[in-house]
Amino acid sequence: MTLEEFNLLPDPNQYKVVFSQGTFVDSFIEDQERYILFAIDGFYVEIHFTGYSDDVVYIKAFRTSHLLNKYLPETID
């Protein structure tokens, strides 16, 4: 599946694809908001949840590497 094909799917189908074909990469919590990152066929999908519930704020698919920065550990100088 390509990024373009994924983006054309309705939200419920995007969730099904993420949870059936996606590979979990990482997650984090910030200001009581939860973010989970998956990889699928050469692109990434981020799902943003409100707090600790399963209420989805958005699902975003992307290839851009700078959007991965928030998942990388901070370096200590």
Side-chain angles (χ1 to χ4, degrees), residues 43-69:
F43 62 94
Y44 297 96
V45 178
E46 178 181 73
I47 302 177
H48 175 191
F49 295 92
T50 57
Y52 296 100
S53 74
D54 288 334
D55 296 333
V56 175
V57 175
Y58 66 77
I59 183 169
K60 175 175 28 180
F62 59 92
R63 279 192 201 100
T64 311
S65 61
H66 78 275
L67 294 174
L68 298 173
N69 289 344

Side-chain angles (χ1 to χ4, degrees), residues 4 6 9 23-26 35 42 46 52 59 62 66-68 72 77:
E4 293 75 19
F6 181 85
L9 295 173
T23 300
F24 172 80
V25 176
D26 200 2
Y35 300 84
E46 178 181 73
Y52 296 100
I59 183 169
F62 59 92
H66 78 275
L67 294 174
L68 298 173
L72 299 173
D77 296 326

Side-chain angles (χ1 to χ4, degrees), residues 5 14 18 20-21 32 47 50 54-56 67 71 76:
E5 291 169 333
Q14 287 181 345
V18 168
S20 66
Q21 299 177 28
Q32 298 183 358
I47 302 177
T50 57
D54 288 334
D55 296 333
V56 175
L67 294 174
Y71 291 94
I76 300 173

Side-chain angles (χ1 to χ4, degrees), residues 5-43:
E5 291 169 333
F6 181 85
N7 282 332
L8 290 174
L9 295 173
D11 286 351
N13 292 7
Q14 287 181 345
Y15 302 127
K16 288 178 188 176
V17 168
V18 168
F19 293 113
S20 66
Q21 299 177 28
T23 300
F24 172 80
V25 176
D26 200 2
S27 67
F28 72 92
I29 296 172
E30 178 179 75
D31 297 328
Q32 298 183 358
E33 299 293 308
R34 191 167 37 118
Y35 300 84
I36 302 176
L37 182 68
F38 294 87
I40 302 175
D41 296 335
F43 62 94

